[in-house]
C-alpha cells in the first residue's frame, strides 16, 4: 500500500483515531472538549453504549486466559467475574434481566466459540502509526488472530441486535484502519480478514479487506486529522447528536433539550 500524501501540520501533534476523526466531523467543539482539552465527561454516555463496554470486558478477560494457555471453554468463571466488575464500574442500571442477557451472551460466545480462537496475536491489541506523514494515529482492536501463514484476522465484538453485511465491513473506516496497522506491524501478513462478532446473536460476519480501500480510508482520515490540527476555532455544529453529548451542559450552542 502507498502512504497517504504528506502535508504540513500547524499545531502540536494530537492523538488521532477513527473515533476522534468522526467526532471532529460531527462537531469540532466536541472534538476540542474530548481530544484537545481532554475534559472529563460531565455525564454518562447512554446505558446501551456502556452495555457494550461490559460485554467487551468479559470477553477480553476470557481471551486473555486463552493466551495464557487455558482452554476457552474453561474461562467462564473469569469472564463472569469480569462482567460483574464491569457492570458495577460502568454504573449500569439495576436491571436483572438485562444483566442476565449479558451473562448469557458471554457464556454462549465461550461455549460455542463462533470465531475459532486458536492462534491469538493480541487481545485489546494496541496499534499505533505515524501513517508515514508524522501524525499520531492509534487504536485498540478487540481481538487479533493469525489464521494462516499470511492472513491476519481482526475481530470486533458487537452487541447490536442487527448485523452488518460483508460489503459494509469491507468499507468500514475502523476496520480498514486496523488493517493498515496490522500490515505495518506483522511483516508476514499479506491478507487482512475482518470479522464482526455478535455474541447476542451467536453469529459472525467476515470480509477480506483490499489494499486500495485501506489506503483510501487512511488518506481520508489523514485529511480530517490535518484539518483538525489546523483548526483554531472549533466551531460547534448543533444537531441531534447534542442529545448524547457528555459536554452539552457547558456548550452554549447546545439546544435546551440536550441540557441536564
Amino acid at each position: 500500500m502507498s502512504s497517504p500524501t504528506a502535508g504540513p501540520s500547524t499545531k502540536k501533534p494530537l492523538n488521532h483515531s477513527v473515533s476522534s476523526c468522526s467526532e471532529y466531523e460531527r462537531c469540532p467543539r466536541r472534538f476540542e472538549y474530548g481530544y484537545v482539552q481532554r475534559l472529563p465527561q460531565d455525564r454518562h454516555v447512554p446505558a446501551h453504549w456502556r452495555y457494550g463496554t461490559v460485554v467487551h470486558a468479559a470477553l477480553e478477560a476470557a481471551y486473555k486466559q486463552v493466551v495464557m494457555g487455558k482452554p476457552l471453554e474453561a474461562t467462564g468463571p473469569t469472564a463472569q467475574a469480569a462482567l460483574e466488575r464491569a457492570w458495577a464500574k460502568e454504573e449500569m442500571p439495576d436491571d436483572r434481566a438485562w444483566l442476565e442477557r449479558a451473562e448469557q451472551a458471554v457464556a454462549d460466545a465461550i461455549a460455542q466459540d463462533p470465531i475459532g480462537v486458536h492462534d491469538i496475536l493480541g487481545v485489546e491489541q494496541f496499534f499505533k502509526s505515524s501513517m508515514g506523514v508524522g501524525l499520531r494515529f492509534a487504536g485498540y482492536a478487540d481481538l487479533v488472530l493469525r489464521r494462516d501463514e499470511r492472513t491476519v484476522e481482526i475481530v470486533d465484538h458487537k452487541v447490536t441486535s442487527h448485523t452488518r453485511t460483508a460489503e459494509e465491513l469491507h468499507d468500514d473506516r475502523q476496520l480498514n484502519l486496523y488493517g493498515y496497522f496490522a500490515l505495518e506491524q506483522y511483516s508476514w501478513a499479506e491478507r487482512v480478514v475482518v470479522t464482526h462478532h455478535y455474541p447476542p446473536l451467536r453469529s459472525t460476519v467476515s470480509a477480506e479487506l483490499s489494499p486500495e480501500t485501506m489506503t483510501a480510508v487512511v488518506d481520508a482520515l489523514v485529511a480530517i486529522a490535518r484539518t483538525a490540527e489546523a483548526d483554531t476555532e472549533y466551531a460547534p455544529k448543533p444537531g441531534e447528536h447534542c442529545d448524547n453529548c457528555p459536554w452539552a451542559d457547558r456548550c452554549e450552542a447546545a439546544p435546551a433539550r440536550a441540557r441536564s
Side-chain angles (χ1 to χ4, degrees):
M1 290 185 298
S2 62
S3 294
T5 303
S9 181
T10 60
K11 295 171 62 176
K12 67 178 182 180
L14 300 171
N15 293 318
H16 298 287
S17 64
V18 169
S19 294
S20 71
C21 289
S22 297
E23 197 76 300
Y24 185 80
E25 289 180 306
R26 183 180 299 114
C27 176
R29 179 63 54 80
R30 279 178 64 159
F31 174 86
E32 179 190 20
Y33 287 156
Y35 294 94
V36 180
Q37 297 186 27
R38 300 184 182 180
L39 299 177
Q41 295 183 348
D42 295 333
R43 59 187 180 185
H44 276 310
V45 297
H48 65 277
W49 293 2
R50 307 200 307 272
Y51 177 80
T53 300
V54 170
V55 173
H56 276 69
L59 294 175
E60 177 185 349
Y63 295 134
K64 283 183 175 178
Q65 288 288 298
V66 175
V67 172
M68 296 172 63
K70 181 176 287 189
L72 180 61
E73 61 269 19
T75 65
T78 298
Q80 171 69 20
L83 189 146
E84 292 176 356
R85 289 193 301 272
W87 195 272
K89 179 181 178 182
E90 294 298 325
E91 300 181 22
M92 293 294 292
D94 185 14
D95 185 333
R96 184 63 198 175
W98 204 10
L99 174 59
E100 288 177 352
R101 286 200 297 273
E103 292 172 339
Q104 189 61 56
V106 172
D108 287 347
I110 290 172
Q112 299 178 19
D113 187 18
I115 306 170
V117 290
H118 60 281
D119 193 353
I120 298 178
L121 297 175
V123 180
E124 283 297 301
Q125 177 66 43
F126 178 68
F127 288 116
K128 65 178 179 178
S129 174
S130 68
M131 314 301 258
V133 295
L135 291 170
R136 295 193 295 192
F137 268 80
Y140 287 89
D142 293 342
L143 190 63
V144 183
L145 310 173
R146 182 168 185 165
R147 282 306 180 195
D148 56 44
E149 62 184 11
R150 66 188 187 92
T151 305
V152 61
E153 180 176 10
I154 298 167
V155 180
D156 195 6
H157 309 304
K158 297 294 183 182
V159 299
T160 58
S161 59
H162 63 279
T163 63
R164 299 180 71 189
T165 66
E167 290 76 15
E168 289 172 324
L169 265 61
H170 177 270
D171 295 332
D172 183 86
R173 292 203 298 188
Q174 186 72 76
L175 296 175
N176 275 277
L177 179 61
Y178 288 159
Y180 186 93
F181 286 153
L183 290 179
E184 279 195 338
Q185 180 156 327
Y186 306 116
S187 59
W188 49 266
E190 299 175 9
R191 299 173 62 243
V192 180
V193 173
V194 292
T195 296
H196 269 186
H197 170 218
Y198 300 92
L201 303 178
R202 304 180 179 89
S203 66
T204 62
V205 177
S206 297
E208 181 173 351
L209 300 182
S210 66
E212 295 79 13
T213 301
M214 280 185 275
T215 298
V217 166
V218 168
D219 282 343
L221 292 173
V222 164
I224 296 168
R226 288 293 189 204
T227 301
E229 289 199 2
D231 199 343
T232 59
E233 300 295 331
Y234 302 110
K237 293 166 63 175
E240 292 184 1
H241 52 267
C242 293
D243 295 345
N244 293 323
C245 179
W247 301 285
D249 287 345
R250 70 174 68 210
C251 179
E252 74 283 357
R257 70 172 189 277
R259 300 177 185 275
S260 299

